[in-house]
């Protein structure tokens, strides 16, 4: 992607979507109607907000007091890559390329240092289950005052993190060792996806070597996943997205492997059942019948590999239809206390979430399990809760997007650029 194309797609280039006051009221009424329908709580109870405020006081002293108890990684080159409109930064990465191995560090905000089962914030997170992202409007799982301050890995400030350190074989990319520990980090830079792309193209730019190294690793991990049968429905991602997606997958997988194989504890695993053979056949036949699309003969044996190979070659105009044919037959993934059955789409025997504790209950709980090596008594109920709330959030998001289209607004434009309410005469 050229710099010009990259810039054209950013929020700065186009500015927010403008609507008048009447439309703003219309959208607000629709949101309230959907929140009631799907039992989504928008406002936080006062005790939760007060508790969050208290936990953001005296941050630097608290971190200084913690340094001796943790790995001090503040000198390590570390950075974040997020969308331009991100409000909090809960993951950062570091890398070293050595003679016979890669060492990849994924640092995740140490949310459970502030939010634990004895807090009102924890109870509220269980109630909410996840952050709900509507175009132009976010309903947070945790109070933003906490998520956007102490739990946000902003540059040039010490932050408490939960680090996943992975030593990867240079040839096979398999885990040689996995170490998960509490740390103190200091991010050097907060990069947008566009900025990370530009750094890869500019050898003289800060962090160019490190970002290039992590992209080389991520690209190899991506290709390896595809070859091994991991379904990749979005094959034309830019390099910056590939870095984040692959590093987070590798870290999530590492944590749940550690929990299952090394510790033998229950956790909140992500289980994705497979479609029946007849359902897969139906999807592949639908794809094969699309104009300009053909499934390579050697790929038919594994439907996931068949879809990957087809998406690589298919004309861009058919990508949505191919993706939809697959999504229609895919069962819902759910959270379970046992990884039995694995994750079909990713083709991972064991998988769970760890890298987004600010926005997902599952990750928050897995942080707690990793730290305490203890499982909440109500883990099965928590798994069901997280699964149900995710389903409700997705339904709410889908209905709100449909409504935006009905009133003549482009959900994708609103999502990427935000909304600005202007006086009625200005909007004309």
């Amino acid at each position: 992607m050229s710099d010009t194309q990259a810039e054209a797609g950013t929020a700065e280039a186009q500015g927010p979507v403008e609507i008048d006051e009447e439309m703003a009221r219309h959208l607000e009424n629709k949101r309230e109607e959907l929140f009631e329908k799907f039992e989504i709580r928008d406002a936080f109870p006062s005790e939760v907000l007060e508790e969050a405020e208290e936990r953001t006081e005296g941050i630097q002293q608290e971190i200084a007091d913690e340094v001796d108890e943790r790995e001090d990684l503040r000198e390590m080159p570390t950075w974040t890559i997020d969308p331009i409109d991100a409000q909090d930064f809960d993951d950062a990465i570091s890398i070293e390329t050595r003679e016979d191995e890669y060492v990849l560090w994924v640092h995740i905000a140490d949310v459970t240092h502030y939010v634990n089962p004895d807090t009102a914030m924890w109870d509220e997170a269980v109630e909410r289950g996840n952050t709900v992202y509507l175009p132009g409007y976010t309903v947070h799982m945790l109070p933003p005052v906490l998520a956007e301050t102490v739990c946000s890995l902003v540059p040039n400030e010490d932050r408490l993190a939960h680090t996943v350190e992975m030593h990867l074989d240079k040839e096979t990319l398999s885990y040689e060792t996995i170490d998960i520990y509490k740390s103190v980090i200091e991010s050097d830079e907060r990069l947008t996806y566009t900025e990370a792309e530009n750094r890869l193209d500019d050898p003289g730019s800060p962090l160019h070597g490190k970002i290039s190294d992590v992209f080389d690793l991520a690209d190899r991990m991506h290709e390896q996943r595809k070859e091994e049968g991991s379904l990749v429905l979005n094959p034309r991602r830019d390099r910056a997205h590939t870095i984040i997606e692959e590093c987070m997958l590798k870290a999530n997988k590492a944590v749940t492997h550690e929990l299952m194989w090394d510790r033998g504890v229950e956790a909140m695993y992500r289980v994705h059942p497979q479609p029946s053979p007849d359902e897969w056949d139906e999807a592949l036949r639908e794809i094969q019948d699309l104009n300009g699309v053909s499934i390579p003969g050697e790929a038919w044996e594994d439907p996931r590999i068949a879809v990957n190979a087809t998406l690589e070659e298919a004309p861009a105009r058919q990508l949505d239809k191919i993706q939809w044919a697959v999504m229609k037959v895919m069962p819902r993934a759910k959270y379970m206390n046992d990884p039995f059955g694995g994750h079909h789409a990713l083709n991972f025997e064991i998988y769970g979430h760890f890298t987004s504790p600010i926005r997902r209950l599952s990750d928050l709980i897995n942080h707690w399990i990793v730290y305490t090596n203890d499982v909440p008594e109500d883990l099965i109920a928590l798994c069901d809760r997280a699964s149900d709330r995710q389903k409700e959030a997705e339904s709410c998001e889908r209905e709100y997007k449909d409504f935006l289209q009905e009133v003549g607004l482009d959900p994708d434009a609103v999502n990427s650029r935000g909304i600005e309410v202007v006086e009625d005469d200005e909007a004309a």
Side-chain angles (χ1 to χ4, degrees), residues 134-158:
L134 304 181
Y137 196 89
T138 303
V139 182
H140 296 273
M141 183 177 84
L142 297 175
V145 67
L146 186 89
E148 294 171 14
T149 57
V150 292
C151 294
S152 192
L153 307 179
V154 294
N156 307 315
E157 288 198 32
D158 293 354

Side-chain angles (χ1 to χ4, degrees), residues 156-306:
N156 307 315
E157 288 198 32
D158 293 354
R159 285 289 182 264
L160 301 180
H162 216 151
T163 291
V164 185
E165 179 179 328
M166 296 162 275
H167 293 248
L168 307 174
D169 182 276
K170 219 158 186 188
E171 295 302 313
T172 65
L173 308 183
S174 56
Y175 304 105
E176 290 178 332
T177 60
I178 296 167
D179 201 8
I180 311 166
Y181 50 81
K182 297 286 188 99
S183 61
V184 181
I185 69 161
E186 183 189 338
S187 173
D188 296 287
E189 286 205 66
R190 172 273 201 264
L191 299 178
T192 65
Y193 285 115
T194 306
E195 288 167 343
E197 286 287 322
N198 293 342
R199 294 291 178 90
L200 284 165
D201 292 329
D202 180 1
S205 62
L207 290 173
H208 168 80
K210 293 288 186 186
I211 298 171
S212 299
D213 283 353
V214 85
F215 171 68
D216 291 342
L217 172 60
D219 192 42
R220 286 185 59 199
M221 292 194 294
H222 183 74
E223 291 305 316
Q224 185 183 64
R225 266 202 313 120
K226 279 199 303 193
E227 285 167 20
E228 291 175 354
S230 194
L231 186 63
V232 179
L233 282 180
N234 189 357
R236 297 171 195 190
R237 287 205 125 163
D238 59 39
R239 294 169 297 176
H241 278 90
T242 298
I243 289 171
I244 293 304
E245 182 171 43
E246 296 302 329
C247 290
M248 297 309 132
L249 282 172
K250 202 73 171 175
N252 281 332
K253 192 176 175 183
V255 170
T256 36
H257 269 247
E258 159 90 8
L259 289 172
M260 183 69 197
W261 295 125
D262 295 350
R263 302 195 195 178
V265 302
E266 288 183 294
M268 211 181 258
Y269 296 103
R270 187 76 170 152
V271 175
H272 185 237
Q274 58 184 323
S276 70
D278 286 348
E279 287 170 325
W280 259 130
D281 281 349
E282 177 191 325
L284 292 179
R285 276 200 304 275
E286 188 175 323
I287 291 167
Q288 180 81 348
D289 289 343
L290 290 171
N291 187 23
V293 174
S294 81
I295 297 172
E298 72 280 0
W300 276 86
E301 284 184 25
D302 185 329
R304 292 164 298 193
I305 291 176

Side-chain angles (χ1 to χ4, degrees), residues 9-12 14-17 84-85 135-136 410-418:
T10 63
E12 311 104 306
Q14 296 167 321
V17 175
I84 188 156
D85 57 351
D410 176 356
D412 292 333
V414 171
N415 220 8
S416 57
R417 291 160 47 195

